[in-house]
Amino acid sequence: MQLSVNGRRREVAYPDELLVWVLRDELGLTGTHYGCGIGACGSCTVLLDGQVARACLTPARAAAGREVTTVEGLAHGEQLHPVQRAFLENPLQCGWCLPGHLMSAAALLERTPNPTDAQIKEAAGVNLCRCGGYNAIRRAVARAAELKREDG
């Protein structure tokens, strides 16, 4: 089976495996983290056709015919995505949750380029941070929205 991951067609040998394991083990894209295994923490968040999805709950087969975007696919060449740049300015303590927050923020900014504080809080709230970095996360998402507007 083939998947489109970060704009590239990739051959997948185990389509019945969970997407998180196909991405990490088969395709070597280790930016997608495994956390809880029940879709609650969000560290495994990827985008399927631009929508947030939990890779720990999604069989790889369900991503066939759709575009999978991982944290590795946010940047365009050497140009980091505004979300990546903003989180570098506002680092978190351990970073385990970071891929999920980056992906959720990227999805939010695609559909809502100028989010309110309430929208940022709602989008960030679907992912857990075991270090309690929620204020820094919200600041980073707000900064990412600014950077995205500056980029045009």
Side-chain angles (χ1 to χ4, degrees):
M1 180 183 87
Q2 285 195 341
L3 292 180
S4 179
V5 180
N6 299 329
R8 292 183 50 214
R9 303 293 302 165
R10 305 289 298 267
E11 194 66 36
V12 172
Y14 302 102
D16 294 321
E17 256 322 311
L18 291 172
L19 186 58
V20 66
W21 300 125
V22 169
L23 293 170
R24 291 181 62 78
D25 298 341
E26 205 173 325
L27 303 181
L29 298 170
T30 58
T32 302
H33 290 171
Y34 179 82
C36 66
I38 60 171
C41 75
S43 66
C44 67
T45 301
V46 297
L47 302 181
L48 288 180
D49 293 334
Q51 301 298 310
V52 170
R54 300 292 201 235
C56 75
L57 298 177
T58 306
R61 182 178 304 288
R66 302 173 75 186
E67 178 60 34
V68 180
T69 306
T70 69
V71 69
E72 293 94 341
L74 287 178
H76 295 308
E78 297 296 313
Q79 177 65 35
L80 293 179
H81 188 282
V83 168
Q84 292 169 310
R85 295 188 340 249
F87 273 85
L88 285 171
E89 292 176 11
N90 297 279
L92 300 178
Q93 188 170 346
C94 84
W96 188 257
C97 65
L98 190 57
H101 283 289
L102 288 167
M103 301 311 292
S104 294
L108 170 67
L109 296 181
E110 275 305 308
R111 68 179 183 273
T112 310
N114 193 18
T116 65
D117 289 339
Q119 289 169 315
I120 292 171
K121 186 175 182 179
E122 182 181 340
V126 299
N127 295 339
L128 300 180
C129 173
R130 49 187 173 184
C131 301
Y134 296 106
N135 289 329
I137 291 163
R138 287 193 293 272
R139 280 192 305 274
V141 176
R143 176 67 177 138
E146 291 174 11
L147 291 171
K148 188 167 176 149
R149 285 191 301 274
E150 290 171 9
D151 289 352

